[in-house]
Amino acid sequence: MTTILKGNIVSAPACGRLDVTEHGYLIAENGVITGVYPVLSEQYAGASVEDYGDCLIVQSFADLHLHAPQYPMLGMGMDLPLLDWLNAYAFPTEARFAEPDYARTVYRQLAGELVSCGTTRVCMFSSLHTDATLILMDELEKAGITGYVGKVNMDRNGAPGVLEETTEESMRETLRWLDACQDLRHIKPILTPRFTPSCTNELMAFLGKLAAERDLPVQSHLSENGAEMDWVRQLHPDCRQYWETYKKYGLWNDRTVMAHCVWSDERERQAMKDAGVTVVHCADSNQNLCSGVAPVRRMLDEGVKVALGSDIAGGDHLDLFDVTAAAVRASKARRMMDDWNTPFLTVAEGWYLATSAGAAFFGEQPGFAAGNSLHAIVLADDTLPQSRTLTPAERLERAVYRRQEGAVQAVWSAGRKIYAKP
Amino acid sequence: MTTILKGNIVSAPACGRLDVTEHGYLIAENGVITGVYPVLSEQYAGASVEDYGDCLIVQSFADLHLHAPQYPMLGMGMDLPLLDWLNAYAFPTEARFAEPDYARTVYRQLAGELVSCGTTRVCMFSSLHTDATLILMDELEKAGITGYVGKVNMDRNGAPGVLEETTEESMRETLRWLDACQDLRHIKPILTPRFTPSCTNELMAFLGKLAAERDLPVQSHLSENGAEMDWVRQLHPDCRQYWETYKKYGLWNDRTVMAHCVWSDERERQAMKDAGVTVVHCADSNQNLCSGVAPVRRMLDEGVKVALGSDIAGGDHLDLFDVTAAAVRASKARRMMDDWNTPFLTVAEGWYLATSAGAAFFGEQPGFAAGNSLHAIVLADDTLPQSRTLTPAERLERAVYRRQEGAVQAVWSAGRKIYAKP
C-alpha cells in the first residue's frame, strides 16, 4: 500500500534545523516512510496522491509525559506547590477512576482531543487502577494513538482511603495488567513507579526485576522540586542523589524516561547521559507549580536526551503546539534567571524536541527519515491575515505560537490516517 | 430599557477577591448596571430575563496595549530582541497599512476576533497612517468595541522609505485624524507618540500641548528593554530617567497609559504613582522578546495602577484569558528570579488586572458595580470533563488556563449585546 501526501513538507532532521520541501511529496509504503521528494518519480505514475495544496505537512507530536486521569482537572489548582497540589487536587481526581464507566467517558474524550491536536505518540501515566488503565489503553488504541501507558504503582504516601494500594496489591495488579494488555498492537505497557516517595523498596525491587525479565520500559519523576528532593533524601539516606534510588533497583537505563529534572545537577545529568535516560521537559507544569526551569540548554549541550511533555494536569496545555511555545518561553525565563547568559531555545529547536526527540524514544530517526513509521500532521493556516508571503518555516513558527482553531486538517499515525477535519 | 442576565455571576471587586452570586441576576438600565442580585425583586415581575442557566457571567476584558497593524504577524519573529524585531518585522508589517483596502480587511478580522474572545475595551496603537487609523476606529466601532485608538506619531528613527513621516506631516495628519474621528461614539482618539526614540522634541512638545488643549489621553512605551533605555538616555541627556522625557512635554498624567515598565525602578514607580499613570503589563511580549519580567507585585504593593495588555504582536495571544494566564505565569518566573521571595499573582489577582483594573482607566468602579456600563461575557464550560462539582471560582480559574473553543456564548459591551455564539 502506497501513501503519497503532497504539500509543503517541513521536518526537523536535527535540533535547530528545519528541512523544507515546498510542494513536495511525502511517500510511505505500508505505513513506513520511503522519503520526501520535490517531484514524483515515474514509478508512482497513476498512484493516488492526497494533495493538500498549500498546507504544511509536518511531523506529528510525541508527548512523553502526561497524566491521563488528571485530564478532568486540567487548568485547576495552579496556585499550589507540588506536594500540596498532589493532595488537594491530583489524588482525589485520580481516585474517581475506580469507576470504569467514568474512566471510559473521560478517556474517550482525552483520546479524541489528543488526536485532533496531532499527538500520535505518548508515554502516559494512568492511575493505580488496573481496569481503568486497560480502558485507557483501549481508547488510545482505538483512536489510533501509539506509545506507552503505565498503571501507576504507589504503595506508600498516597491518600489514605482515597488513593492507595498495598505492596501486594500493587504487584498482583501489575501482573494482571501486563497479562491483560498483551493483545494491543500500538499501545504497550511501561512500568510506572509514581515517584520514589510513593513506592516501598520492595515494590521498587519488584518493578526493576520485572523490567529486566520482560524487557519493559520505565517512566517516573525526577528532581522536580526541592521539597520532593529533600523527602527522597530522607527516605533513601544511602543514595547520594535522587536518580540513584531508581538506579539501585534497575529502573535506570536507555528505556527510561524521567519527567521534569528541573534540579538535576552536573552529576545527575552525567548519569542520565551515561545510561541513555530520556529527560522529559515539562515547561508549563514547572512554571505553574513554581518548581523552577529545567536547564534544557545545558542538557542539550552535554548530549543528554531531552523531549517534551505536556504533563497535564500540572501543565495546562494538552496541545503540543502550545507546549512547544511554552518550552521556548521557559527557556527565555531561564535566560533571564541566568543573567542573560544562556541562549534560549529557538522555535526550530523547540519543534525538534516536540517531534523528533520524542520519536527517538520509539526508535525512530529524526525528521521524516526513510524507515520511520508515517506520523504526520497536515496544517492549514489560510484563514490567518498576513502581510506578505511567508516561508514554510515562518508558517511553522506562527503555528507554534498562534492559536488556530481548526488548523489541523488531517493526522497520520503509524501509517494510518486517524483524523480528518470534520 | 432593562437588561437582566441570569447565571453564575463572578466579578472582581478588589485585587485578589472574587464576588460570586450563584444563579443570580445582573441587571442594567439603559446599559448601566444597577446591581447583582441573588433573587429578582418584584419590580421586575414580567420583565424579560436572558437565562444562561449554569453558565458563568463575568466582566469582559480591557486590553490596554496592543498594536492593531501587527495583527498579521501575530506569532512571528519571536527569536529576536526588541529593536531588531521592530526593524525586521514590526515596521515592514505596519507599512502595509498605507493601503486602505488591506487595512479594512485586516481590521475587520481583528475586530471580529476581539469581540469573539470577549475584549470590549481597548487602548490600541494604529500605525502612522491616518486613513488606516480611521478605518480601524470605524471597524471597532461597528463591532461594538469601546475605548481608545491612536494614530502613531513617529518622525524619526523609523524605517526610511518603509515607515516614516516628517515632523510636519505627523502634526498635520494628527490634526486631520482628530477632526475626522469626532463623530464616533464609542471609539475615541488617544495621542500616541510611538516611544521617545521615535519622536523629535518638537513633535513631543506639539503632542503635549494638544493633550492639554483638547483634554486627550496619551499612550506610549516605557522602560521595556535595556538597549531602548540606553538609547533614550543618549537622546535626552537632560532627563535622568526615561519617564521624564514624557513628563517634560506634558505627556505624563492620570490619563496616561505606559506599556511594559519592565525596568521601572523605585523612583520611576513613584513618579507613576504620583502622577496616576497606568502601567500596562504585557507578560507574553516581555518574555517572548526577552525583555524581562515587570515587577508587578511590587507595583501593586506600592499602589501603582497596573492593567494588562496583549501587546500583539510582541505578545502572541490576543485572547485575554491567555494573557491573564501569561501574567500569572510570568509572576512565577519573577518569583524564581527573585530567589522565590516575591509572591506570584493568584488567578483572582490576574483576573482583576485583566478586567477591573483596565476598566478603571475608563472611569469605572471595580467589578459589576452599580453605575458601571454593562460589559460582560457569558461563558459555558459544560463540554469539559470534570471529576466533581466545581465552584464558580474554580470554573473561572479553569477558563483562564484552559483553551476552550466556543466557550464564549455572548458578549455585552457598553450595554449592547455585541456577540452571540453562532
Side-chain angles (χ1 to χ4, degrees):
Chain A
M1 196 197 72
T2 305
T3 307
I4 309 177
L5 308 184
K6 186 175 183 201
N8 292 303
I9 300 165
V10 183
S11 64
C15 189
R17 215 181 89 206
L18 294 176
D19 264 2
V20 177
T21 309
E22 295 194 54
H23 302 293
Y25 300 85
L26 171 60
I27 303 184
E29 296 287 355
N30 298 316
V32 177
I33 293 171
T34 56
V36 174
Y37 307 95
V39 291
L40 204 59
S41 74
E42 280 191 15
Q43 73 179 106
Y44 297 109
S48 150
V49 174
E50 290 208 50
D51 189 344
Y52 286 103
D54 203 42
C55 284
L56 296 176
I57 300 177
V58 299
Q59 295 162 260
S60 62
F61 295 116
D63 186 345
L64 256 57
H65 184 66
L66 73 169
H67 293 265
Q70 294 174 15
Y71 181 55
M73 53 176 276
L74 188 56
M76 290 174 57
M78 297 303 183
D79 290 349
L80 294 174
L82 176 64
L83 300 178
D84 298 336
W85 173 88
L86 276 175
N87 291 311
Y89 280 88
F91 288 164
T93 303
E94 293 194 13
R96 283 292 309 273
F97 290 82
E99 303 162 38
D101 288 348
Y102 177 77
R104 179 71 68 184
T105 304
V106 172
Y107 287 153
R108 185 166 297 170
Q109 188 171 352
L110 172 61
E113 193 171 340
L114 282 168
V115 165
S116 70
C117 56
T119 297
T120 64
R121 303 184 205 257
V122 294
C123 278
M124 192 183 267
F125 278 53
S126 177
S127 58
L128 60 76
H129 310 96
T130 304
D131 293 338
T133 303
L134 293 167
I135 289 167
L136 172 58
M137 295 172 87
D138 182 55
E139 288 297 331
L140 293 172
E141 176 93 16
K142 278 191 205 150
I145 294 166
T146 71
Y148 297 114
V149 169
K151 171 216 164 336
V152 166
N153 296 102
M154 44 185 296
D155 69 337
R156 65 173 175 184
N157 296 318
V162 176
L163 193 72
E164 58 178 350
E165 57 181 6
T166 65
T167 307
E168 186 278 332
E169 274 171 344
S170 190
M171 293 177 179
R172 174 168 40 83
E173 287 296 303
T174 299
L175 295 173
R176 178 165 84 83
W177 161 59
L178 290 173
D179 285 345
C181 70
Q182 287 187 59
D183 293 337
L184 295 174
R185 183 153 169 230
H186 293 286
I187 297 292
K188 299 291 180 189
I190 183 168
L191 295 179
T192 307
R194 186 174 197 114
F195 70 150
T196 298
S198 292
C199 298
T200 60
N201 297 352
E202 187 184 356
L203 182 56
M204 292 281 261
F206 167 82
L207 293 173
K209 193 156 163 282
L210 204 55
E213 283 172 5
R214 304 203 186 184
D215 190 24
L216 290 167
V218 173
Q219 63 183 351
S220 196
H221 296 90
L222 182 66
S223 300
E224 179 174 1
N225 164 298
E228 171 211 19
M229 293 165 75
D230 290 344
W231 197 9
V232 170
R233 220 166 281 124
Q234 286 164 22
L235 292 167
H236 288 266
D238 56 318
C239 290
R240 193 167 141 198
Q241 291 191 302
Y242 193 164
W243 65 276
E244 292 168 81
T245 65
Y246 296 115
K247 163 106 175 167
K248 184 164 77 168
Y249 296 107
L251 299 163
W252 186 260
N253 57 53
D254 64 357
R255 299 197 65 205
T256 301
V257 282
M258 284 287 160
H260 304 302
C261 309
V262 173
W263 297 101
S264 298
D265 68 2
E266 195 173 343
R267 182 169 175 271
E268 189 161 276
R269 295 195 304 266
Q270 184 64 47
M272 291 165 179
K273 190 183 169 189
D274 292 344
V277 164
T278 298
V279 170
V280 192
H281 176 45
C282 303
D284 267 329
S285 171
N286 296 334
Q287 197 160 354
N288 285 334
L289 302 182
C290 264
S291 300
V293 183
V296 173
R297 171 64 63 197
R298 191 162 291 190
M299 289 171 176
L300 293 174
D301 287 348
E302 292 168 348
V304 175
K305 294 187 250 181
V306 182
L308 299 188
S310 66
D311 192 26
I312 70 159
D316 54 302
H317 294 115
L318 185 65
D319 189 323
L320 267 277
F321 285 106
D322 294 315
V323 170
T324 304
V328 171
R329 231 189 296 272
S331 76
K332 292 175 176 177
R334 180 81 206 192
R335 177 170 163 78
M336 296 176 202
M337 292 162 71
D338 293 347
D339 286 327
W340 268 260
N341 288 321
T342 307
F344 56 76
L345 295 177
T346 64
V347 171
E349 289 175 323
W351 186 255
Y352 177 88
L353 299 183
T355 57
S356 298
F361 186 70
F362 300 94
E364 303 277 74
Q365 295 304 306
F368 283 131
N372 281 356
S373 178
L374 176 62
H375 286 255
I377 302 173
V378 178
L379 268 186
D381 56 6
D382 52 351
T383 63
L384 298 180
Q386 63 182 60
S387 64
R388 58 173 170 82
T389 305
L390 304 180
T391 65
E394 285 175 319
R395 290 170 61 192
L396 181 65
E397 176 182 6
R398 184 162 74 160
V400 165
Y401 278 110
R402 194 186 196 312
R403 175 183 298 204
Q404 296 178 68
E405 289 188 17
V408 173
Q409 303 295 300
V411 178
W412 298 77
S413 173
R416 303 153 303 156
K417 187 176 189 172
I418 64 167
Y419 176 79
K421 194 181 163 188
Chain B
M1 197 198 72
T2 305
T3 307
I4 309 178
L5 308 184
K6 186 175 182 201
N8 293 301
I9 300 164
V10 184
S11 65
C15 190
R17 216 182 90 207
L18 295 176
D19 264 3
V20 177
T21 308
E22 295 193 53
H23 301 291
Y25 301 85
L26 171 59
I27 304 184
E29 296 287 354
N30 298 318
V32 176
I33 294 172
T34 56
V36 173
Y37 307 95
V39 291
L40 204 59
S41 75
E42 281 191 14
Q43 73 180 106
Y44 297 109
S48 151
V49 174
E50 289 208 51
D51 189 344
Y52 286 103
D54 203 41
C55 284
L56 297 176
I57 300 176
V58 299
Q59 295 161 261
S60 61
F61 295 115
D63 185 345
L64 256 57
H65 184 67
L66 72 168
H67 293 265
Q70 294 175 15
Y71 181 55
M73 53 176 274
L74 187 56
M76 289 174 57
M78 298 303 184
D79 291 349
L80 294 175
L82 175 64
L83 299 179
D84 298 336
W85 172 88
L86 275 176
N87 290 311
Y89 281 89
F91 289 164
T93 303
E94 293 193 13
R96 283 292 310 273
F97 290 83
E99 304 161 37
D101 289 349
Y102 178 76
R104 180 71 68 185
T105 305
V106 171
Y107 288 152
R108 185 166 296 169
Q109 187 171 353
L110 171 62
E113 192 171 340
L114 282 167
V115 165
S116 69
C117 58
T119 297
T120 64
R121 300 185 207 257
V122 295
C123 278
M124 191 183 271
F125 278 53
S126 177
S127 56
L128 60 76
H129 310 97
T130 303
D131 293 338
T133 303
L134 293 168
I135 290 167
L136 172 59
M137 295 173 88
D138 182 56
E139 289 297 331
L140 294 171
E141 177 93 15
K142 278 190 206 150
I145 294 167
T146 72
Y148 297 113
V149 169
K151 172 218 165 333
V152 166
N153 296 103
M154 45 185 295
D155 69 338
R156 66 173 174 183
N157 296 317
V162 176
L163 193 72
E164 57 177 351
E165 56 182 8
T166 64
T167 306
E168 187 279 331
E169 272 170 344
S170 190
M171 293 176 178
R172 174 170 37 88
E173 288 296 303
T174 299
L175 295 174
R176 179 165 82 85
W177 161 60
L178 290 173
D179 284 346
C181 69
Q182 287 186 61
D183 293 338
L184 296 173
R185 182 152 170 231
H186 293 286
I187 297 291
K188 298 291 179 189
I190 182 168
L191 295 179
T192 307
R194 184 173 199 117
F195 70 151
T196 297
S198 294
C199 297
T200 59
N201 297 351
E202 186 183 357
L203 183 56
M204 294 280 263
F206 168 81
L207 293 173
K209 191 157 165 281
L210 204 54
E213 281 171 7
R214 304 205 187 183
D215 191 24
L216 290 166
V218 172
Q219 61 183 353
S220 197
H221 296 90
L222 182 66
S223 301
E224 177 174 1
N225 164 298
E228 171 212 17
M229 294 164 74
D230 290 343
W231 196 10
V232 171
R233 219 167 283 125
Q234 287 165 22
L235 293 167
H236 287 267
D238 55 317
C239 291
R240 191 167 142 198
Q241 290 192 303
Y242 193 165
W243 66 275
E244 291 167 82
T245 65
Y246 296 115
K247 165 108 175 166
K248 185 164 75 167
Y249 295 108
L251 300 163
W252 185 261
N253 58 52
D254 65 357
R255 299 196 66 205
T256 301
V257 281
M258 283 286 159
H260 306 302
C261 308
V262 173
W263 297 101
S264 297
D265 68 2
E266 197 174 340
R267 182 169 175 273
E268 189 161 275
R269 295 194 304 267
Q270 185 64 46
M272 290 165 180
K273 191 183 169 188
D274 291 345
V277 163
T278 298
V279 170
V280 192
H281 177 45
C282 304
D284 267 330
S285 171
N286 296 335
Q287 199 160 352
N288 286 333
L289 302 183
C290 264
S291 301
V293 182
V296 173
R297 171 64 65 199
R298 190 162 291 190
M299 289 171 176
L300 292 174
D301 287 349
E302 291 169 350
V304 175
K305 295 188 252 179
V306 182
L308 299 188
S310 65
D311 191 26
I312 71 159
D316 54 301
H317 294 115
L318 185 66
D319 188 325
L320 267 276
F321 285 107
D322 294 316
V323 170
T324 305
V328 171
R329 231 192 294 272
S331 76
K332 293 177 176 177
R334 181 81 205 192
R335 178 169 162 80
M336 296 175 202
M337 290 163 73
D338 293 346
D339 288 327
W340 268 259
N341 287 322
T342 307
F344 56 77
L345 296 177
T346 63
V347 171
E349 289 174 323
W351 186 256
Y352 177 87
L353 298 183
T355 57
S356 298
F361 186 69
F362 301 93
E364 303 277 74
Q365 295 302 307
F368 284 130
N372 281 355
S373 177
L374 177 61
H375 284 255
I377 302 172
V378 178
L379 267 185
D381 55 5
D382 53 350
T383 63
L384 298 180
Q386 63 183 60
S387 64
R388 59 176 169 79
T389 304
L390 303 180
T391 65
E394 286 175 318
R395 290 171 59 193
L396 181 65
E397 177 183 6
R398 185 162 71 159
V400 165
Y401 277 111
R402 193 186 197 312
R403 175 184 297 205
Q404 295 179 71
E405 289 187 16
V408 173
Q409 303 295 301
V411 177
W412 298 75
S413 173
R416 305 154 302 156
K417 187 177 190 172
I418 63 166
Y419 176 80
K421 193 181 163 188

